[in-house]
């Protein structure tokens, strides 16, 4: 399984790693079958994601997609962050092997789960804005 240079860079040198004690949105998603768990923290001020960080337990692709997802939403408006797709994460990383696409889906869902939590903390029902956070995608295994 070959990874792009960008995937390897974000795995070896992940950006925005760690807990964020003053986060006003926290989202956690995962797939217990493959063991990938992503926790995203966001700090929103004036409708802009001023800071974002993550903690991920999983494979190299899970770490790389978490790192790239944080880079793609940092400094953006909440509205723009809501548009993040797993395809955008994969394209920014110059692709992923087919058996690792689920990691990009988890990264998208983790950001959306953090945004959902942010809206909930504001007393706003997040589902009409963020949508329903779906079950984690199935992992594909190489034998």
């Amino acid at each position: 399984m070959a990874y792009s240079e960008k995937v390897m860079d974000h795995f070896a040198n992940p950006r925005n790693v760690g807990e964020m004690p003053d986060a006003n949105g926290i989202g956690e998603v995962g797939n217990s079958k493959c063991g990938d768990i992503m926790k995203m923290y966001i700090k929103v001020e004036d409708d802009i994601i001023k800071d974002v960080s993550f903690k991920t337990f999983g494979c190299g692709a899970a770490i790389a997609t978490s790192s790239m997802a944080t880079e793609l939403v940092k400094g953006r408006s909440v509205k723009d962050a809501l548009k993040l797709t797993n395809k955008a994460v994969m394209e920014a990383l110059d692709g992923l092997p087919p058996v690792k696409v689920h990691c990009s889906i988890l990264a998208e869902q983790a950001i959306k789960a953090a945004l959902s939590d942010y809206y909930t903390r504001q007393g706003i029902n997040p589902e009409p804005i963020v949508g329903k956070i779906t079950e984690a995608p199935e992992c594909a295994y190489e034998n």
Side-chain angles (χ1 to χ4, degrees):
M1 173 172 17
Y3 290 111
S4 71
E5 285 184 32
K6 284 187 182 178
V7 171
M8 294 306 294
D9 181 42
H10 276 267
F11 166 64
N13 307 292
R15 284 65 154 181
N16 309 307
V17 177
E19 292 183 27
M20 186 185 302
D22 62 342
N24 54 10
I26 300 171
E28 185 173 330
V29 296
N31 187 313
S32 59
K33 288 183 181 177
C34 66
D36 293 329
I37 300 170
M38 297 180 184
K39 192 168 191 176
M40 294 282 179
Y41 303 84
I42 58 172
K43 178 70 175 172
V44 179
E45 294 174 11
D46 300 322
D47 212 38
I48 301 293
I49 298 177
K50 297 288 186 182
D51 203 6
V52 57
S53 65
F54 76 94
K55 287 181 74 176
T56 292
F57 178 84
C59 65
I63 293 166
T65 56
S66 298
S67 175
M68 182 55 81
T70 64
E71 288 288 281
L72 292 172
V73 301
K74 192 172 192 175
R76 303 271 182 150
S77 69
V78 169
K79 190 175 184 178
D80 283 346
L82 285 167
K83 296 175 187 172
L84 179 72
T85 65
N86 75 297
K87 287 179 180 64
V89 173
M90 286 194 307
E91 286 172 9
L93 288 169
D94 294 335
L96 286 172
V99 297
K100 296 297 181 178
V101 169
H102 71 276
C103 294
S104 66
I105 296 169
L106 281 175
E108 174 190 339
Q109 289 179 337
I111 293 290
K112 289 183 176 166
L115 290 165
S116 182
D117 182 55
Y118 167 73
Y119 280 115
T120 299
R121 292 178 188 216
Q122 305 302 309
I124 300 167
N125 178 4
E127 200 166 315
I129 302 164
V130 180
K132 191 171 181 95
I133 306 300
T134 60
E135 287 292 311
E138 289 298 316
C139 297
Y141 292 100
E142 279 193 316
N143 291 329

